[in-house]
């Protein structure tokens, strides 16, 4: 350092080797930091994409449903004075039976009817009453039938036969004769693979000559069994490539769908009776025990009603409190105490607010259980600290010179706040509010406490009607055993995410709009 | 503007019906300055100001003569702005600021608890050291004061008032085609003139100006100095300036501050040509900063 006092050394202080080295080290540090930053972002974006991707994949099947367009005999309700009294159960049952005249006997017929949703008659009745002159009515399939058609249930593998085959028929039963060795081995492998009783081992369905033969025994290398569907072609021989071996590795007893039902469904699809369509039920109905009849609309309306109450309470209260504390309250121990406690409130787990709602709003004041307005109050209590803090920060960011300018032209403190300070702070307050509302929209725990978890079929029509909300609906569906509810749960999550994204987008938009208006 | 006619301070400035046609505040002097020079418009008596533990003003006593320009001069940090803020009680907004002593306006203590501070600030206008236009349009910056004080009856009058005032500060020709532009989008010097326009638009009795020309070029400065010369016919002006020439040019009285103390005050000519205190002499001749 002694030579640093020398004038010559000052001239080279930033260019000598030591300085160069120091500079290089600084650049290395920066590159390292950038790399870690990019890696962190890459990792989090990757996880987010993974999460979103899995939700979307799981949700997509729920957005469509398979409907059956049958020929319904609607003469009875047409002639009846009150179409509501007609026996739609019978109309639907008969329409389906007409398609399968060969199906006889109570058990089989019940099996056939189970292809359609148990709510199909109600669904038909509603369509008919909406437009009695209409035609082309459709009814929804049951959830299991629908999942099978989407390839999500009872998966099978198919082996196209390499050799010819001859079939024989005697009554219900049939057999395959002169099957070549490779095909026989394929059947044998599947048949003896697991062993056990019929229904406990994989199902082997031979699709031959337009019929389906279910293999039940393998005597003397002749596979034989019951015709689930009679062959429609005449003769008794099939060429190589003309018949197929379809193997369901999951035994029939462990499936929600029997081999017969699968054969029937394939028929209905093949002749164009059953087609997938947009699942309007999902978007327009309330809760239901039948997955195919369950929708999110009831929960969406419940959420909207609750959020309206939340916003109407939390926004004016929160902004008012923030204005009072920031602009009017004399700073001191008392106001600091209040401020610290508001910050503490923001960190209180949301379920505590639910407990408060239960203990005070329901038990002391006796407000309605499961009602959106009670949920709204609870969510408002939960959101209030968030809004107060956001508003205080926003007010604090308004330069004092603006307040002084207003006061100096003779504006009262209230005019100063409402004419100059608040408009300037509004974009940030709105952003904070919308984010608080988005949090309220995604909240489940406090609403469970006040009974918004109830099973509510009807769409709520007002603030006091029992209702549930979207996240609670997701929570409930995720808990149901039916696989179809799992897909609906994912779909509801997607809908919730869309709402949240829309709200955050609105926050950005509000911000941009205000900022443009100001400059 | 006969204040003595009102036993108490009026709630709002007396309405002037023909404000726009011939704005009275810009008309010829209502009274001859010498007539009223005897009675001070404001008096400052033994004022001490401290911000927390640091004292900014020590025992300042000063008379502010009506219809005159009083210059406050002195090195940076000597408390000129602090004194100015005492005169319209702007210091009330600084939490740790403590003011003691007595400040009167027309013989009435402005720190008395009966005094309405909002009304006081309407009567004692202020131009700040740093330009602080509202983050609103140019028009709104000027129109805001007259509007909240109900000084005009309709939009036409307000428009005319805004135009007159902007012309007075020499800003109208520059901005007449973009009155919707945000005041904050103007240049520093334009903002300063806009703030002066805003302050005079409400027709205060006393105008406090904290270095009103610090960001202005010589031409704009000349316009403002000219304006101040005219304004004193109706207003009383207290101005902080760092320009000795400016103080000498436009003020009738000058007060020199040093380290929070009022060193010397008197008629401007006397302060600049024959100061009693050697410190004043050094300062006005540029020998100390
Ligand atoms: N808000 C405040 N809080 C604390 N101290 C302050 C505050 N405002 C001013 N002071 C102090 O009071 C003293 C006087 O400040 P003041 O602004 O009155 O000086 P000034 O004479 O206007 O200076 P300049 O010519 O630089 O504007 C300074 O020491 C300053 O640090
Ligand atoms: Mg100053």
């Amino acid at each position: 350092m002694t030579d640093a006092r020398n004038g010559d050394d000052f001239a080279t202080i930033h260019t000598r080797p030591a300085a160069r080295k120091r500079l290089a080290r600084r650049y290395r540090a920066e590159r390292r930091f950038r790399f870690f930053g990019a890696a962190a972002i890459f990792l989090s974006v990757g996880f987010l994409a993974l999460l979103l991707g899995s939700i979307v994949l799981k949700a997509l099947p729920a957005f469509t449903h398979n409907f059956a367009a049958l020929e319904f005999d609607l003469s009875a309700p047409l002639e009846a004075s009150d179409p509501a009294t007609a026996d739609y159960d019978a109309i639907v049952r008969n329409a389906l039976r007409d398609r399968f005249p060969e199906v006889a006997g109570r058990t089989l017929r019940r099996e056939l009817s189970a292809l359609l949703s148990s709510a199909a008659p109600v669904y038909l009745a509603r369509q008919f009453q909406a437009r009695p002159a209409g035609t082309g009515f459709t009814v929804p399939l049951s959830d299991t039938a629908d999942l099978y058609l989407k390839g999500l249930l009872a998966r099978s593998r198919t082996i196209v036969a390499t050799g010819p085959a001859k079939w024989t028929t005697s009554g219900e039963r049939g057999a395959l004769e002169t099957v070549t060795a490779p095909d026989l081995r394929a059947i044998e492998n599947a048949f003896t693979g697991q062993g056990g009783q019929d229904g406990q081992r994989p199902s082997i369905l031979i699709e031959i000559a337009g019929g389906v033969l279910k293999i039940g025994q393998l005597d003397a290398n002749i596979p034989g069994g019951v015709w689930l569907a009679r062959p429609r072609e005449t003769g008794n021989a099939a060429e190589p490539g003309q018949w197929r071996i379809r193997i369901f590795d999951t035994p029939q007893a462990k499936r929600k769908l029997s081999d017969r039902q699968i054969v029937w469904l394939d028929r209905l699809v093949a002749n164009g009776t059953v087609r997938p369509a947009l699942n309007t039920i999902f978007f327009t109905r309330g809760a239901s025990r039948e997955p195919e009849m369950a929708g999110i609309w009831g929960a969406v309306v419940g959420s909207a009603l609750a959020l309206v109450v939340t916003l109407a309470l939390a926004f004016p209260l929160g902004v008012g409190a923030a204005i009072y504390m920031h602009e009017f309250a004399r700073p001191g121990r008392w106001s600091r105490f209040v401020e610290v406690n508001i910050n503490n409130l923001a960190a209180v787990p949301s379920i505590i607010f639910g407990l408060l709602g239960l203990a005070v709003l329901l038990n002391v004041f006796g407000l309605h259980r499961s009602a959106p307005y009670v949920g709204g109050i609870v969510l408002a209590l939960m959101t209030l600290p968030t809004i107060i803090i956001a508003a205080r920060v926003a007010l604090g960011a308004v330069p004092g010179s603006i307040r002084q300018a207003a006061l100096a032209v003779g504006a009262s403190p209230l005019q100063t706040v409402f004419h100059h300070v608040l408009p300037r702070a509004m974009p940030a307050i709105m952003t904070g509010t919308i984010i608080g509302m988005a949090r309220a929209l995604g909240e489940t725990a406090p609403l469970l406490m006040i009974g918004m978890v109830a099973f509510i079929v009807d769409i709520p029509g007002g603030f006091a009607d029992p209702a549930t909300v979207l996240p609670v609906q997701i929570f409930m569906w995720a808990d149901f055993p039916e696989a179809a509810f799992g897909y609906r749960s994912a779909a509801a999550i997607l809908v919730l995410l869309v709402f949240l994204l829309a709200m955050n987008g609105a926050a950005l938009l509000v911000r941009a709009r205000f900022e443009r208006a100001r400059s | 503007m006969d204040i003595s006619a009102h036993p108490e301070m009026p709630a709002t400035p007396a309405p002037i019906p023909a404000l726009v046609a011939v704005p009275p505040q810009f008309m010829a002097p209502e009274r001859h300055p010498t007539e009223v020079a005897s009675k001070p418009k404001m008096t400052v008596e033994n004022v001490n100001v401290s911000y927390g533990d640091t004292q900014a003003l020590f025992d300042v006593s000063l008379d502010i003569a009506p219809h005159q320009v009083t210059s406050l001069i002195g090195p940076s940090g000597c408390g000129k702005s602090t004194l100015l803020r005492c005169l319209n009680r702007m210091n009330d907004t600084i939490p740790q600021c403590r003011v003691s002593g007595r400040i009167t306006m027309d013989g009435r203590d402005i720190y008395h608890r009966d005094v309405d501070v909002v009304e006081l600030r309407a009567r004692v206008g202020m131009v700040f050291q740093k330009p602080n236009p509202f983050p609103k349009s140019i028009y709104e910056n000027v129109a805001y004061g007259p509007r909240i004080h109900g000084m005009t009856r309709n939009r036409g009058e307000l428009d005319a008032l805004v135009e007159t005032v902007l012309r007075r500060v020499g800003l109208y020709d520059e901005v007449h085609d973009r009155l919707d532009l945000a005041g904050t989008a103007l240049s520093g010097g334009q903002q300063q003139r806009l703030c002066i326009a805003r302050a005079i638009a409400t027709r205060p009795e006393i105008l406090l100006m904290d270095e009103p020309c610090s960001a202005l070029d010589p031409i704009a400065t000349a316009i403002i100095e000219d304006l101040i010369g005219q304004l004193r016919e109706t207003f009383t002006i207290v101005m902080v300036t760092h320009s000795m020439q400016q103080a000498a040019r436009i003020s009738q009285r000058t007060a020199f501050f040093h380290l929070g103390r009022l060193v010397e005050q008197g008629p401007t000519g006397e302060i600049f040509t024959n100061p009693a205190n050697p410190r004043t002499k050094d300062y006005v001749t540029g020998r100390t900063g």
Side-chain angles (χ1 to χ4, degrees):
Chain A
M1 279 336 277
T2 44
D3 48 19
R5 258 176 258 130
N6 187 320
D8 280 347
D9 277 301
F10 275 124
T12 61
I13 193 160
H14 296 303
T15 47
R16 59 183 142 199
R20 290 258 157 81
K21 226 157 115 190
R22 216 164 23 241
L23 190 65
R25 204 160 55 230
R26 267 146 62 188
Y27 278 130
R28 267 202 307 282
E30 182 180 332
R31 270 198 300 277
R32 213 160 39 230
F33 180 80
R34 281 172 175 230
F35 171 77
F36 284 129
I41 288 182
F42 182 79
L43 212 69
S44 41
V45 167
F47 273 117
L48 189 68
L50 205 71
L51 184 74
L52 274 182
S54 76
I55 290 176
V56 170
L57 277 188
K58 185 116 201 256
L60 282 180
F63 290 123
T64 59
H65 194 79
N66 283 287
F67 290 83
L70 300 167
E71 291 84 34
F72 300 107
D73 175 15
L74 291 164
S75 52
L78 268 177
E79 284 151 22
S81 52
D82 180 7
T85 57
D87 185 1
Y88 291 95
D89 282 344
I91 296 172
V92 170
R93 206 163 49 227
N94 292 336
L96 189 59
R97 275 186 203 165
D98 287 350
R99 284 303 179 87
F100 298 97
E102 73 276 15
V103 176
R106 270 178 85 93
T107 331
L108 284 187
R109 282 185 170 173
R110 198 171 297 145
E111 220 175 314
L112 179 64
S113 291
L115 289 182
L116 296 180
S117 164
S118 61
V122 180
Y123 192 80
L124 176 69
R126 228 164 351 104
Q127 281 180 93
F128 175 73
Q129 279 158 32
R131 40 186 195 104
T135 52
F137 295 130
T138 61
V139 290
L141 295 195
S142 74
D143 56 327
T144 44
D146 178 65
L147 286 183
Y148 165 72
L149 292 180
K150 285 169 179 161
L152 300 169
L153 196 84
R155 263 176 258 238
S156 64
R157 56 202 165 89
T158 303
I159 300 163
V160 178
T162 53
K166 279 202 174 123
W167 77 84
T168 58
T169 302
S170 64
E172 284 291 300
R173 306 190 63 80
L176 286 185
E177 287 163 10
T178 67
V179 180
T180 55
D183 296 331
L184 192 62
R185 216 173 312 122
I187 296 171
E188 259 173 10
N189 281 346
F191 193 75
T192 55
Q194 265 85 22
Q197 295 290 303
D198 177 44
Q200 296 296 327
R201 62 176 171 234
S203 297
I204 303 160
L205 305 187
I206 308 294
E207 297 177 358
I208 189 165
V212 180
L213 180 69
K214 182 178 177 180
I215 303 301
Q217 74 265 13
L218 252 177
D219 296 340
N221 284 348
I222 295 176
V226 180
W227 287 108
L228 299 183
R230 292 303 186 107
R232 270 173 286 178
E233 290 166 27
T234 51
N236 63 352
E239 295 298 307
Q242 296 295 329
W243 63 284
R244 291 180 302 172
I245 307 156
R246 196 154 167 224
I247 300 155
F248 292 83
D249 285 316
T250 316
Q252 181 171 242
K254 289 188 181 157
R255 273 185 257 132
K256 293 271 164 59
L257 219 54
S258 71
D259 293 333
R260 265 202 173 72
Q261 287 176 312
I262 288 172
V263 171
W264 292 329
L265 274 176
D266 288 343
R267 249 308 132 86
L268 287 171
V269 171
N271 61 26
T273 307
V274 166
R275 272 206 209 100
L278 183 70
N279 192 355
T280 50
I281 299 171
F282 177 72
F283 292 107
T284 55
R285 304 278 324 246
S288 171
R289 273 290 165 210
E290 308 299 328
E292 69 274 12
M293 294 311 289
I296 52 166
W297 187 241
V300 168
V301 171
S303 275
L305 290 173
L307 280 196
V308 164
V309 173
T310 303
L311 186 66
L313 284 179
F315 183 72
L317 272 182
V319 175
I323 289 176
Y324 179 76
M325 285 170 61
H326 195 264
E327 304 287 330
F328 294 101
R330 244 181 302 133
R333 212 175 319 143
W334 175 240
S335 73
R336 216 168 30 246
F337 174 78
V338 172
E339 186 186 340
V340 165
N341 279 298
I342 286 176
N343 291 347
N344 286 343
L345 272 188
V348 165
S350 58
I351 194 155
I352 305 293
F353 290 98
L355 285 170
L356 179 85
L358 176 65
V360 177
L361 299 179
L362 296 190
N363 293 349
V364 177
F365 293 120
L367 301 183
H368 298 73
R369 254 187 101 73
S370 313
Y373 79 92
V374 180
I377 294 172
V378 168
L379 292 177
L381 289 177
M382 190 199 81
T383 319
L384 208 51
T386 314
I387 294 183
I388 294 178
I389 291 169
R392 287 205 60 169
V393 171
L395 291 171
V398 177
S401 64
I402 291 178
R403 288 184 190 85
Q404 289 175 5
L407 291 173
V409 295
S412 69
L414 199 69
Q415 285 173 323
T416 302
V417 168
F418 281 94
H419 294 169
H420 300 282
V421 178
L422 195 57
R424 169 87 185 210
M426 215 41 171
I429 293 179
M430 299 271 243
T431 312
T433 304
I434 294 176
I435 287 169
M437 296 303 289
R439 244 192 70 194
L441 173 61
E443 201 55 67
T444 321
L447 301 178
L448 299 184
M449 304 311 301
I450 55 155
M452 288 195 83
V453 70
F455 182 82
I456 288 134
V457 179
D458 296 321
I459 310 291
F463 290 102
D465 287 359
T468 189
V469 293
L470 255 182
V472 174
Q473 185 71 78
I474 291 167
F475 167 78
M476 279 157 59
W477 281 347
D479 217 28
F480 284 164
E482 287 89 345
F485 273 125
Y487 296 104
R488 274 161 180 76
S489 179
I493 290 174
L494 211 57
V495 171
L496 184 62
L497 280 179
V498 167
F499 276 123
L500 291 175
L501 282 182
M503 286 175 82
N504 284 339
L508 285 180
L509 213 71
V510 163
R511 230 203 150 86
R513 170 78 54 86
F514 269 92
E515 243 130 54
R516 211 173 323 122
R518 195 191 306 157
S519 60
Chain B
M1 296 254 74
D2 190 358
I3 299 303
S4 57
H6 302 276
E8 294 294 330
M9 291 189 183
T12 52
I16 307 294
L19 179 74
V20 175
V22 188
Q25 72 266 40
F26 307 133
M27 281 163 48
E30 291 161 8
R31 278 176 277 185
H32 214 271
T34 52
E35 228 177 86
V36 285
S38 50
K39 210 172 158 207
K41 180 73 180 166
M42 285 191 111
T43 62
V44 177
E45 294 163 35
N46 309 107
V47 164
N48 287 278
V49 181
S50 51
Y51 298 102
D53 293 337
T54 55
Q55 192 160 353
L57 282 182
F58 299 86
D59 201 29
V60 172
S61 296
L62 180 71
D63 285 351
I64 291 157
H67 300 289
Q68 296 207 336
V69 178
T70 305
S71 284
L72 309 182
I73 61 170
S76 184
C78 68
K80 306 179 296 293
S81 300
T82 299
L83 177 63
L84 216 55
R85 280 199 299 267
C86 290
L87 300 183
N88 67 345
R89 288 184 56 178
M90 217 54 203
N91 276 334
D92 292 10
T93 61
I94 303 172
Q96 75 273 31
C97 182
R98 295 278 168 278
V99 180
S100 68
R102 202 174 124 90
I103 300 175
T104 65
M105 178 180 179
D106 299 323
R108 216 163 291 280
D109 186 353
I110 63 168
Y111 279 84
H112 194 272
R113 61 182 148 73
D114 288 345
V115 169
D116 186 337
V117 67
V118 172
E119 184 197 308
L120 172 76
R121 290 186 188 131
R123 295 175 62 191
V124 184
M126 186 170 200
V127 177
F128 291 83
Q129 185 165 4
K130 273 179 267 168
N132 56 351
F134 297 131
K136 296 176 186 257
S137 70
I138 294 171
Y139 182 94
E140 202 53 40
N141 263 280
V142 181
Y144 180 69
R147 187 180 291 141
I148 60 170
H149 296 306
M151 289 168 59
T152 54
R153 280 166 306 184
N154 54 44
R155 180 77 191 209
E157 282 184 12
L158 193 58
D159 287 352
L161 176 64
V162 169
E163 183 183 333
T164 320
V165 170
L166 285 176
R167 278 192 198 285
R168 297 300 305 262
V169 298
L171 195 58
Y172 187 74
D173 292 336
E174 287 164 58
V175 301
H176 71 273
D177 54 346
R178 44 185 177 142
L179 291 177
D180 293 340
L181 192 73
T184 41
L186 293 174
S187 79
Q190 289 172 328
Q191 290 190 15
Q192 209 163 42
R193 280 178 283 159
L194 181 63
C195 291
I196 296 171
R198 181 178 67 194
I200 64 174
T202 52
R203 298 177 55 236
E205 295 161 42
I206 301 172
L207 189 57
L208 312 174
M209 303 174 98
D210 202 341
E211 296 183 46
C213 301
S214 60
L216 300 189
D217 63 288
I219 298 169
T221 302
I223 293 174
I224 296 303
E225 286 184 4
D226 203 41
L227 172 69
I228 292 172
Q230 297 167 35
L231 288 177
R232 90 177 168 90
E233 292 167 356
T234 36
F235 304 163
T236 299
I237 293 168
V238 184
M239 179 181 74
V240 174
T241 180
H242 280 294
S243 159
M244 295 307 112
Q245 292 89 335
Q246 184 172 57
R249 269 199 304 270
I250 60 173
S251 67
Q252 284 71 47
R253 295 186 68 80
T254 298
F256 172 62
F257 290 81
H258 187 76
L259 295 176
R261 292 177 201 278
L262 173 64
V263 177
E264 192 172 353
Q265 61 156 322
T268 300
E270 211 146 297
I271 296 287
F272 279 88
T273 54
N274 188 21
N277 193 303
R279 275 219 223 96
T280 316
K281 190 173 177 188
D282 288 348
Y283 185 77
V284 298
T285 53
R287 249 175 285 166
T288 61

